Amino acid sequence: MGTSVAEKLHKIGEVAAISGISVKTIRYYEEIGLLAPTVERSESRYRLFGEGVLNRLTFIKRSQSLGLSLSEIKDILDIRDRGQLPCGEVKRHLETKVEAITQQIEALEALKAELQGILHNWQDRPPAERVSRTICPNIQLER
């Protein structure tokens, strides 16, 4: 990890308390490699975290709130860990999210229009012959 002599190392409980992220989640993030350069082990095998872990956890939380997956976040952190600024990669991921959201909105608008059409033509008392051939004639097409 290359901690400086003056850098304070934190146990996992301290990191959880400061970050508001559970110990279980922090352990998981470490297990999948999101916290790699900020973690070392004491002689007694306790996890010790450098100050940089809090910045990483803040970044992870913010990235997740913007819809990025942990896999995408790991790719971004790997770029940063190589000493490069990952903003181009972040932008690419966010543009992809915007495209996906646009497609979801279009699909939801189509579904909304279909539902509105069904409700507009709703029959509280459908014809008996349709009732006998369907479960709910208002939403089922007859065969």
Side-chain angles (χ1 to χ4, degrees):
M1 177 160 68
T3 57
S4 67
V5 175
E7 183 178 20
K8 180 174 180 354
L9 297 176
H10 300 279
K11 290 184 179 176
I12 196 166
E14 295 172 303
V15 172
I18 294 167
S19 68
I21 297 173
S22 73
V23 168
K24 183 178 178 179
T25 300
I26 293 170
R27 282 188 187 124
Y28 177 69
Y29 288 169
E30 180 199 6
E31 183 181 308
I32 64 172
L34 294 177
L35 306 180
T38 64
V39 184
E40 61 184 54
R41 296 282 181 156
S42 68
E43 288 180 16
S44 56
R45 302 297 299 150
Y46 284 105
R47 289 175 179 88
L48 297 174
F49 297 88
E51 294 290 328
V53 75
L54 298 173
N55 186 31
R56 287 177 89 88
L57 290 171
T58 300
F59 177 80
I60 293 166
K61 282 172 61 172
R62 176 65 175 147
S63 297
Q64 284 183 306
S65 77
L66 295 173
L68 297 180
S69 69
L70 291 178
S71 175
E72 291 168 324
I73 294 167
K74 183 170 184 347
D75 291 343
I76 293 164
L77 289 173
D78 287 345
I79 292 169
R80 180 63 176 186
D81 293 341
R82 291 192 302 266
Q84 300 168 354
L85 188 64
C87 292
E89 185 73 5
V90 172
K91 182 179 181 183
R92 188 180 64 76
H93 282 296
L94 294 181
E95 288 170 342
T96 300
K97 293 297 173 202
V98 169
E99 290 171 17
I101 290 168
T102 299
Q103 291 172 0
Q104 290 173 334
I105 289 170
E106 289 170 0
L108 287 171
E109 289 290 345
L111 177 59
K112 179 182 174 184
E114 180 181 4
L115 294 173
Q116 288 173 327
I118 290 170
L119 291 170
H120 178 73
N121 296 312
W122 195 265
Q123 296 177 324
D124 287 327
R125 299 192 190 283
E129 71 275 357
R130 289 198 64 215
V131 170
S132 67
R133 294 191 301 267
T134 61
I135 294 172
C136 179
N138 284 298
I139 65 169
Q140 285 180 280
L141 300 173
E142 293 184 65
R143 292 191 208 202

